[in-house]
Amino acid sequence: MQQLKEITEAREASGTIEWRDIGNWPHGARAGNITGEWEDLRRAWLLTRRGQKPLAKGALQHGTKSYYSEEPLASLADWLFRFNQFLCGQPLADLLTAASDELKGVVVTPQYATFLNHYEANMAHARGRVYLDIYNSFFAVYGDFQQLTMRLGAGLPIDGDLEVSSAQFERTKMFYGNAFEALGTLADFLAFSNNVKMGRAWDTFEQLTASTYLKLDKSSRFTAFAATPGLAALCAEADNQLRNASHHGGIEIDAGGKVVSYRAGKGGQGDTNSMTYTEYLRKCIVLFVQIVSIHMVELVVCQPASKRDPA
């Protein structure tokens, strides 16, 4: 109870308990619990992807009635943005501000319009599936993530002795690896945007072509925009050794549920590394928020340009 009071007070002080007007998005009060809202949002998202417009519209109206009666939802993208603002709080706001500062003069150029034409025709729909899958994975183990997600969203520190639930470890141990794979897949949007920012065509890198870039290992795809701080921040949490162990289920937890360990190196043949389960969850959540931030950047870019967004 004391922790909940602390989180609420921190969110009120930072302004993240209300919607932050990022990217000129609507903002307003919110009601209801986050997991219940996710199930309703997920239904609307799935219906939209299936092209079931009347049912999707009904799901959106249900979302307004249940959670946003003071300011009706305008679209699925609107709902995703409001939901994520509340779920992720200040860390998401900081990442979006950094990305916006890098791209605000880029997205209005003719070169970027050319990229968005390619994006709409060849990237948007498939990316929506990647995003939906990682959201589903996150909420499937939200019981373990909830406490730290709330603290991070409120801008509160994560103390080393903070105890968290490890009830879903058999599922959370795979999350970091799967989320890393998703981040590596989704990073091409940032890389292509950065090409335009650097004065090149969207598919022209300093030394690579787009097709060559897409053949890189997921862990190598972040280098293309590493010199652009506001974009690099969206992929700052990307631990390749932990990714390998997590992706192959090679993480173990001690009998007390407090310390996780894994073998580094190719095939898990290196030294044994360890960290608290709390720290492992923190890294998972930060990685998830980075993925959410890329998703939200895409929504902010696509909506004004009337381009299909990644739903």
Side-chain angles (χ1 to χ4, degrees), residues 139-216:
F139 280 99
V141 290
Y142 189 64
D144 278 18
F145 286 145
Q146 181 176 13
Q147 182 181 354
L148 294 191
T149 300
M150 293 175 68
R151 291 189 68 86
L152 287 169
L156 294 174
I158 305 300
D159 299 326
D161 58 353
L162 183 67
E163 292 192 11
V164 295
S165 167
S166 59
Q168 295 179 298
F169 172 72
E170 288 305 313
R171 297 172 75 179
T172 60
K173 71 179 182 180
M174 300 287 289
F175 183 85
Y176 192 95
N178 292 337
F180 189 110
E181 291 296 307
L183 184 70
T185 297
L186 298 164
D188 58 356
F189 177 87
L190 301 178
F192 296 153
S193 296
N194 189 63
N195 284 341
V196 179
K197 180 178 176 63
M198 294 295 105
R200 301 186 294 264
W202 69 267
D203 57 351
T204 303
F205 292 81
E206 193 170 7
Q207 296 181 327
L208 302 172
T209 64
S211 60
T212 305
Y213 171 80
L214 293 173
K215 292 175 183 176
L216 295 174

Side-chain angles (χ1 to χ4, degrees), residues 89-151:
Q90 193 62 49
L92 177 62
D94 292 343
L95 290 175
L96 290 179
T97 298
S100 176
D101 288 345
E102 298 286 7
L103 295 178
K104 60 187 176 184
V106 177
V107 299
V108 296
T109 63
Q111 293 86 349
Y112 204 81
T114 300
F115 165 55
L116 288 182
N117 289 337
H118 169 82
Y119 172 91
E120 182 176 46
N122 301 287
M123 296 173 63
H125 186 70
R127 294 172 74 80
R129 181 74 256 178
V130 177
Y131 284 122
L132 180 56
D133 285 348
I134 204 65
Y135 280 77
N136 279 332
S137 296
F138 184 80
F139 280 99
V141 290
Y142 189 64
D144 278 18
F145 286 145
Q146 181 176 13
Q147 182 181 354
L148 294 191
T149 300
M150 293 175 68
R151 291 189 68 86

Side-chain angles (χ1 to χ4, degrees), residues 52-75:
Q52 296 176 289
K53 293 183 180 180
L55 291 176
K57 182 178 179 180
L60 193 71
Q61 292 171 341
H62 173 75
T64 289
K65 181 179 179 181
S66 300
Y67 310 105
Y68 304 100
S69 58
E70 292 185 12
E71 190 167 356
L73 295 166
S75 63

Side-chain angles (χ1 to χ4, degrees), residues 169-287:
F169 172 72
E170 288 305 313
R171 297 172 75 179
T172 60
K173 71 179 182 180
M174 300 287 289
F175 183 85
Y176 192 95
N178 292 337
F180 189 110
E181 291 296 307
L183 184 70
T185 297
L186 298 164
D188 58 356
F189 177 87
L190 301 178
F192 296 153
S193 296
N194 189 63
N195 284 341
V196 179
K197 180 178 176 63
M198 294 295 105
R200 301 186 294 264
W202 69 267
D203 57 351
T204 303
F205 292 81
E206 193 170 7
Q207 296 181 327
L208 302 172
T209 64
S211 60
T212 305
Y213 171 80
L214 293 173
K215 292 175 183 176
L216 295 174
D217 179 85
K218 301 291 174 59
S219 63
S220 301
R221 294 187 180 184
F222 313 125
T223 306
F225 48 91
T228 305
L231 301 185
L234 277 61
C235 299
E237 172 59 52
D239 186 331
N240 195 44
Q241 298 290 349
L242 183 57
R243 165 252 195 144
N244 290 335
S246 173
H247 194 58
H248 297 289
I251 300 179
E252 299 178 352
I253 194 166
D254 70 346
K258 293 184 178 181
V259 178
V260 298
S261 59
Y262 62 95
R263 297 285 294 274
K266 188 174 182 180
Q269 300 300 310
D271 295 336
T272 298
N273 293 333
S274 63
M275 67 183 73
T276 64
Y277 187 52
T278 300
E279 174 62 9
Y280 173 71
L281 292 181
R282 186 197 67 79
K283 289 170 75 70
C284 287
I285 295 164
V286 171
L287 184 52

